């Protein structure tokens, strides 16, 4: 009986989707014509929608509904106590998308969203509500946003969203508060976020306050939000360069700002020049001539060292792994490089690094988009329809732009800017080119035949319960498996599949233990063997089940996603490392995929 009712419900949803799609595209001749999502509203009002199917209904209403339809959705998440915080958060995201891409927001009084900001115990829900309130420019919400913007206990993400909300409000009191928060009496973090928010209303003031904030910053401060906000404004780069001309920056702060600018695919001439001068590094050099490329190729073949080059490739300041993946682990912006050396001559690789626009492939062509509000975005078009365009920028972030907001667009340069190699010595450049040129060739850097966990997540702050004896199942669930994504940071293995544990030390900040987690997606269930090679003692859990890591582990894995968790300590080994390989034992029907990505 249960399966029959479920089938009938599924048919009803399918019919509702088909009907709402036809209504959404049909001309509306009279005001009384039914809503394009009337079938979904009827299903929702029936009270018989299973909890697991409610997200589908609510998402479709938000995607196609009118202002009155969205008011029904808003009322539901504000008053229905059975709606989970996770679903409320999703709905707020869909409502935000409706506001930004379709320019539709719920009819009636929107002030009720304030209680999700002031009374919610979920940090994620509170953040989503703040972002939406700013997008809607909800009257009377300014005081709540101002309180969060000035809070010493609010997370940086929440503070940033509150300040962006104040900027969207656009009233004089909000602007004055942001200028006050960007002044020298505040912390560098607050000043940075406030200057970023001011960009929307007054670029000149934002650039001057941002430059002063950079001049007062140390290497412990993060200038990224402010720099990115200014660069995303038409003429912002030149304004910031002009403002910085009157400031004195610490060399390391200038390097940090320069690295960030390059890491998001920008190498604006004036700003790059002034930051390079402050950092004490060379100015951007022109692309190499054919003769210079030929000379470099000869030097790479004679002096280049691939092992040293891999270490250069993995350095954060060079940003290679932000865009490129090796063995499917790493950035997803540029080409996967595992086989590049086996199919490309060295001169092609030299040009790809030093003159990326020369060797740009069609699937990595970028688009520069100017909006009617004066914002500029550069990225690869992921998808585009009559309502919105989705761009993937150099950091991997998806930027959604309403088609109606686009004033102009043109083809852009490569997301890999010139100048990234200015932080390298000549020998380091030779080593880097050598490493990339041998990827995929027979030998140490050949394509691997045995899959290994290449993408790991590191638990940034392991709890005290994980530091003593081997934790039991309850502790593993509470302090590892049930933690949110924000508790972890991605890190990647080397080409061989081994993870250098020395690279983990800065992430765990002195913790006596290291908790690492990889994932495997089992397509067809069956036996799978894990082989762990570690310089340090280690314990392994597959999901919540513990195993000894001293030898091969063969276990039955069901279809679906499984977490492989490793607990270890970084000892005194000269080169501590960890490697976990997976194989299908003879006779097993298992089919699996080790999860990569960024």
């Amino acid at each position: 009986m249960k399966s029959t009712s479920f089938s009938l419900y599924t048919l009803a949803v399918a019919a509702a989707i088909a009907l709402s799609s036809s209504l959404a595209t049909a001309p509306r001749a009279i005001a009384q014509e039914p809503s394009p999502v009337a079938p979904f509203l009827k299903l929702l009002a029936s009270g018989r929608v299973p909890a697991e199917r409610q997200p589908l209904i609510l998402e479709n209403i938000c995607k196609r509904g009118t202002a009155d339809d969205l008011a029904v959705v808003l009322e539901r998440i504000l008053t229905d106590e059975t709606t989970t915080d996770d679903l409320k958060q999703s709905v707020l995201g869909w409502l935000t998308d409706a506001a930004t891409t379709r320019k539709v927001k719920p009819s009636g009084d929107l002030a009720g969203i304030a209680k999700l900001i002031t009374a919610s115990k979920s940090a994620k829900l509170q953040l989503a509500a703040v972002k939406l309130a700013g997008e809607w420019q909800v009257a009377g919400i300014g005081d709540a946003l101002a309180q969060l913007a000035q809070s010493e206990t609010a997370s940086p993400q929440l503070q940033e969203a509150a300040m962006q909300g104040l900027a969207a409000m656009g009233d004089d009191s909000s602007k004055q508060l942001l200028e006050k928060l960007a002044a020298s009496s505040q912390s560098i973090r607050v000043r940075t976020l406030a200057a970023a928010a001011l960009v929307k209303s007054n670029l000149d003031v934002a650039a001057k306050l941002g430059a002063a904030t950079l001049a007062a910053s140390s290497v412990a401060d993060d200038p990224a939000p402010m720099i990115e906000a200014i660069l995303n404004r038409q003429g912002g780069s030149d304004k910031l360069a002009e403002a910085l001309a009157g400031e004195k920056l610490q060399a390391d702060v200038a390097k940090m700002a320069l690295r960030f600018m390059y890491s998001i695919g920008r190498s604006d001439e004036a700003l790059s020049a002034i930051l390079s001068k402050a950092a004490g590094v060379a100015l951007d050099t022109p692309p190499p001539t054919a003769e210079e490329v030929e000379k470099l190729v000869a030097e790479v073949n004679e002096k280049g060292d691939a092992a040293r080059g891999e270490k250069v490739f993995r350095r954060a300041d060079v940003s290679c792994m932000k865009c490129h993946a090796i063995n499917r682990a790493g950035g997803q912006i540029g080409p996967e490089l595992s086989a590049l050396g086996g199919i490309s001559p060295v001169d092609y690789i030299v040009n790809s690094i030093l003159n990326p626009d020369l060797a740009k492939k069609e699937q990595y062509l970028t688009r520069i988009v100017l909006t009617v509000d004066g914002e500029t975005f550069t990225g690869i078009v992921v998808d585009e329809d009559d309502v919105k365009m989705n761009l993937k920028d150099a950091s991997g972030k998806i930027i959604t732009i309403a088609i109606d907001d686009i004033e102009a667009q043109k083809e852009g340069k490569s997301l890999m800017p010139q100048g990234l190699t200015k932080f390298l010595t000549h020998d380091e450049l030779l080593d880097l080119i050598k490493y990339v040129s041998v990827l995929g060739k027979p030998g140490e850097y050949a394509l691997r035949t045995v899959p290994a966990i290449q993408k790991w997540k590191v638990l940034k702050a392991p709890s005290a319960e994980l530091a003593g004896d081997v934790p039991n199942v309850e502790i593993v669930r509470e302090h590892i498996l049930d933690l949110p994504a924000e508790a972890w940071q991605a890190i990647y293995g080397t080409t061989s599949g081994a993870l250098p544990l020395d690279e983990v030390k800065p992430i765990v900040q002195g913790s006596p233990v290291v908790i690492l987690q990889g994932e495997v997606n089992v397509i067809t269930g069956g036996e799978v063997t894990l082989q762990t090679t570690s310089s340090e003692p280690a314990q392994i859990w597959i999901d919540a089940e513990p195993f000894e890591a001293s030898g091969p582990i063969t276990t039955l894995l069901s279809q679906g996603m499984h977490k492989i968790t490793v607990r270890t300590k970084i000892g005194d080994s000269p080169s501590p490392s960890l490697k976990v390989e997976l194989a299908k034992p003879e006779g097993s029907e298992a089919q699996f995929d080790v999860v990569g990505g960024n």
Side-chain angles (χ1 to χ4, degrees), residues 23-37 64-67 69:
L23 287 171
T25 56
R28 305 191 67 179
I30 54 175
Q32 291 78 18
E33 191 171 344
S35 158
V37 293
R64 301 187 180 97
T66 64
D69 301 331

Side-chain angles (χ1 to χ4, degrees), residues 449-466:
T449 56
V450 178
I453 297 178
Q454 196 81 20
K455 177 196 173 183
W456 292 95
K457 294 185 296 183
V458 184
L459 185 57
K460 292 186 283 190
S463 64
E465 289 82 354
L466 300 172

Side-chain angles (χ1 to χ4, degrees), residues 6 52 108 113 137 149 162 168 194 218 236 261 300 338 350-351 385 389 402 448 455 506 508 516 529 572 574:
F6 178 79
E52 67 272 13
I113 197 173
Q137 299 181 21
S218 71
M261 185 175 78
V300 167
S338 301
V350 170
N351 276 316
D385 56 28
M389 173 192 294
R448 284 211 314 268
K455 177 196 173 183
V508 298
L516 299 160
T529 297
D572 298 325

Side-chain angles (χ1 to χ4, degrees), residues 303-326:
K303 302 176 183 177
D305 183 284
R308 293 196 304 259
E310 182 169 22
K311 292 179 180 179
V312 174
F313 183 89
R314 295 174 62 82
R315 274 169 39 185
D317 62 321
V318 187
S319 298
C320 296
M321 297 199 73
K322 287 190 69 173
C323 289
H324 298 286
I326 303 289

Side-chain angles (χ1 to χ4, degrees), residues 377-595:
F377 299 103
T378 301
I380 297 169
V381 178
V382 177
D383 56 68
E384 181 179 2
D385 56 28
D386 294 338
V387 176
K388 63 185 178 182
M389 173 192 294
N390 285 324
L391 288 179
K392 182 188 285 188
D393 70 9
S395 66
K397 181 173 62 179
I398 299 297
I399 301 167
T400 300
I401 307 169
I403 295 298
D404 289 344
D405 286 345
I406 296 176
E407 181 172 299
Q409 53 181 305
K410 64 179 181 179
E411 183 178 318
K413 295 183 177 181
S414 169
L415 282 179
M416 178 177 169
Q418 289 179 226
L420 279 174
T421 57
K422 68 166 48 179
F423 300 107
L424 304 181
T425 66
H426 186 69
D427 286 345
E428 286 173 335
L429 176 61
L430 297 180
D431 292 339
L432 175 63
I433 297 170
K434 181 68 174 182
Y435 167 66
V436 177
S437 72
V438 298
L439 287 172
K441 290 182 177 178
E444 187 177 353
Y445 300 96
L447 292 171
R448 284 211 314 268
T449 56
V450 178
I453 297 178
Q454 196 81 20
K455 177 196 173 183
W456 292 95
K457 294 185 296 183
V458 184
L459 185 57
K460 292 186 283 190
S463 64
E465 289 82 354
L466 300 172
D469 296 333
V470 178
N472 59 35
V473 172
E474 288 75 18
I475 291 176
V476 169
R477 289 188 186 280
E478 180 180 355
H479 295 274
I480 298 177
L481 298 179
D482 293 340
L483 293 179
E486 295 79 19
W488 304 84
Q489 180 173 324
I491 192 169
Y492 308 105
T494 60
T495 311
S496 69
L499 176 67
L501 293 177
D502 277 344
E503 295 182 11
V504 178
K505 284 183 179 180
I507 300 174
V508 298
Q509 301 176 1
S511 170
V513 298
V514 173
I515 306 296
L516 299 160
Q517 193 174 90
E519 291 181 313
V520 56
N521 181 24
V522 177
I523 298 133
T524 303
E527 286 192 331
V528 176
T529 297
L530 278 71
Q531 177 66 58
T532 302
T533 306
S534 178
S535 62
E536 315 300 320
Q539 297 83 41
I540 286 187
W541 290 263
I542 301 178
D543 299 321
E545 185 177 358
F547 291 89
E548 288 293 330
S550 55
I553 300 167
T554 298
T555 186
L556 184 66
L557 294 183
S558 60
Q559 182 182 12
M561 197 71 72
H562 295 271
K563 294 180 179 179
I564 313 297
T565 303
V566 179
R567 174 185 182 265
T568 187
K569 297 183 179 181
I570 302 175
D572 298 325
S573 302
S575 300
S577 65
L578 171 76
K579 182 177 182 179
V580 177
E581 295 177 301
L582 293 90
K584 184 171 68 172
E586 187 175 351
S588 172
E589 296 181 354
Q591 299 291 332
F592 61 86
D593 182 38
V594 179
V595 176

Side-chain angles (χ1 to χ4, degrees), residues 204-217:
D204 288 332
V205 171
K208 290 176 182 177
L209 290 171
T213 301
L214 265 182
S217 297

